[in-house]
Every structure is written in C-alpha cells, then in structure tokens.
Amino acid sequence: MIRVIAIDDEPLALQQLATYISKVPFLQLVAQCESAIEAISVLNSETVDAIFCDINMPDLNGMDFVKSLAVPPLIVFTTAYSEYAVEGFRVNAVDYLLKPFGLQDFMRAANRLKERLVPLSPPEGGAIDPSASKNIEAPSGAVGGTWGSDTLFVKTDYRVVKIAIQDIRYVEGMSEYLKLHLDGQPKPIITLLAMKTLEERLPSNFMRIHRSYIVNLDKIQEVNKNRVILDNDTYLPIGDSYKDQFNRYIETKFIGKQ
C-alpha cells in the first residue's frame, strides 16, 4: 500500500480527494489536512509515501510547504491555477492535477505514484528492490538502514542502496535524518536514521567528534585547533564534549614532541 495524505483548505475539494483515494486499491489515506501546517504535524508522526497537495492555501502555500521539507515524499499538486504548473515540475512533482479534475485524471496521477514507488523486479544481478531489505535482519531502531560486516543498506528516496562503509567520509546529523557523505559522490545520501544507532554500528575507525558529526578517522588530513580538515572544502568542528576522546586518539598516533 502507498500511504498518502491529502491537503486542501477547501472542505469539498478535500472530501473529493479522500473519495478518489478510497477508490484506488493501492492507496491508503493516512490523513486529511486543511492546511500545510496541519500536514507538518502528520509528517512528524506518520510514515507517508506521497502527498496530494493544493497550492493556493493561506498561511503556508503548498509550493512553499514542499520546498520546506528536507526529504519530501512524492508530490502530486492539485490546484485551479495553471500558472503553477511549471514551478510544480521544477520541484520534481510526480503530477499536476488542474481543478476541476475527474477520477480518470486522478487515476493517472495515482498510477504514476505507483510506478515511482513500486519498481519492477530487477534483472539478475541488477539493483536491489526495497522489499528485499525485509530479509536482512536490522537492529532495533534502525529505521533507515540494515547492516553487514563491511557494508550498509540504507533507504533513501524510496530506494535501498548499498554503501561500502569505508567509502563514508563523514556523517552529518540533521534533526531525525542523517547525511552520509561518500568518497567520489558530490551529493550525500540522506536517510531517516538516528545518529546513535549508526554510531553504534560503525567500526572503530569512526568517531563521533560533535553532536552532529561522525568522522572516518582515516579520512582526516589535518587537525587545526577545534576542527578536523578532510580537504580544502571540508572542515568539521570538534565539540567540547568529544574533545578529550578525540585528543586521546591523536595521542596514540602522535610521533615527536607535542
């Protein structure tokens, strides 16, 4: 089932969305929200795969709401204003339903969601299907990842990807999400996972040096006062609570007079 929420400040339009959702066997309505503010509360407490979202709403319009999400679910915009269409696709919306729309148009959008969230079985030796992760035992609390001796499988953007642990340069925490910065990849992998859970599963060459950072000690090029330097563009702070532990590590590696 694809878990969705519907957002519209017009009660009749919201009821229509809920009715259409109920007619689609693979959609499950998690919540009906009359504002983007209400939807934020739902997203903080529920797992949501996709959002059907009006754009022209008071307080916080649908476009700004989607842009504010660090890792948004898939989005289908619903609006009476065609001028929003181009901007809607710029934020990678799956579809754009122009009011008034009928069940046939809604089914088109629903099927596009299904195509994005329920991929076809890969060929032999191909990519990993997200459902395969159910067969890999995960530690308690590992919402976003499963574990091997030298690899991680993490869920990101509705995919499950394999990561070589030693390719991780550093981990950055941001609220309930983590950014995994990897060698050779310009963009980090973002996953829903607790920092403490990952910290407990990484090998000894990883160390937490700040409440928001875990670093691969093998990637450090320089230590300068209260920060570590990985390259010319990457500086990570050393938090006061972690300074003693990090200094003890440096002492074990130090050669010459201090």
Side-chain angles (χ1 to χ4, degrees):
M1 296 289 284
I2 299 173
R3 293 170 57 85
V4 305
I5 61 175
I7 312 171
D8 202 305
D9 65 312
E10 298 177 3
L12 291 178
L14 185 60
Q15 184 56 51
Q16 181 192 51
L17 271 175
T19 299
Y20 285 169
I21 290 169
S22 71
K23 293 180 181 295
V24 181
F26 54 82
L27 296 184
Q28 177 185 351
L29 181 61
V30 175
Q32 302 178 53
C33 303
E34 294 185 358
S35 71
I37 303 299
E38 184 181 344
I40 291 172
S41 178
V42 173
L43 290 173
N44 286 335
S45 61
E46 298 282 353
T47 299
V48 175
D49 300 310
I51 299 174
F52 290 89
C53 184
D54 188 23
I55 293 179
N56 192 24
M57 296 186 291
D59 297 328
L60 179 63
N61 73 49
M63 196 69 66
D64 290 339
F65 161 66
V66 171
K67 290 177 180 178
S68 74
L69 300 175
V71 185
L74 296 185
I75 304 295
V76 175
F77 282 120
T78 64
T79 183
Y81 301 91
S82 60
E83 61 266 27
Y84 286 115
V86 173
E87 189 177 1
F89 287 111
R90 281 177 180 166
V91 298
N92 204 28
V94 173
D95 209 342
Y96 183 96
L97 294 173
L98 187 63
K99 297 177 181 178
F101 53 86
L103 181 59
Q104 184 176 355
D105 292 326
F106 182 86
M107 284 298 303
R108 179 198 70 215
N111 283 322
R112 287 181 176 176
L113 288 176
K114 186 177 181 181
E115 289 170 2
R116 293 278 292 270
L117 291 172
V118 188
L120 298 173
S121 298
E124 184 176 354
I128 298 173
D129 190 297
S131 62
S133 65
K134 297 178 182 178
N135 298 321
I136 305 173
E137 184 177 356
S140 176
V143 175
T146 54
W147 322 99
S149 58
D150 56 0
T151 57
L152 302 176
F153 289 91
V154 298
K155 185 176 181 181
T156 179
D157 292 335
Y158 312 102
R159 300 174 295 129
V160 172
V161 297
K162 181 180 179 181
I163 297 172
I165 290 176
Q166 294 308 318
D167 285 346
I168 300 174
R169 303 179 69 225
Y170 66 99
V171 179
E172 179 181 0
M174 52 174 203
S175 186
E176 66 268 37
Y177 290 91
L178 297 181
K179 288 183 178 180
L180 278 62
H181 297 261
L182 308 179
D183 281 335
Q185 293 197 24
K187 292 185 178 181
I189 290 176
I190 301 175
T191 187
L192 177 62
L193 192 63
M195 179 77 88
K196 182 174 176 59
T197 299
L198 181 60
E199 181 183 9
E200 291 173 348
R201 297 290 167 167
L202 289 172
S204 59
N205 60 310
F206 285 82
M207 182 179 292
R208 191 162 183 176
I209 60 170
H210 187 275
R211 63 186 300 271
S212 299
Y213 293 100
I214 297 172
V215 68
N216 184 338
L217 298 169
D218 296 337
K219 308 294 184 181
I220 295 175
Q221 299 299 314
E222 184 179 334
V223 180
N224 189 334
K225 296 183 179 179
N226 292 325
R227 63 184 183 177
V228 298
I229 300 172
L230 305 189
D231 55 45
N232 290 336
D233 299 315
T234 309
Y235 302 77
L236 305 181
I238 303 171
D240 290 341
S241 301
Y242 304 90
K243 190 178 302 182
D244 288 346
Q245 178 188 8
F246 182 74
N247 286 340
R248 286 195 296 270
Y249 163 76
I250 292 296
E251 288 173 3
T252 67
K253 303 294 182 180
F254 199 89
I255 298 177
K257 295 182 179 180
Q258 297 191 44

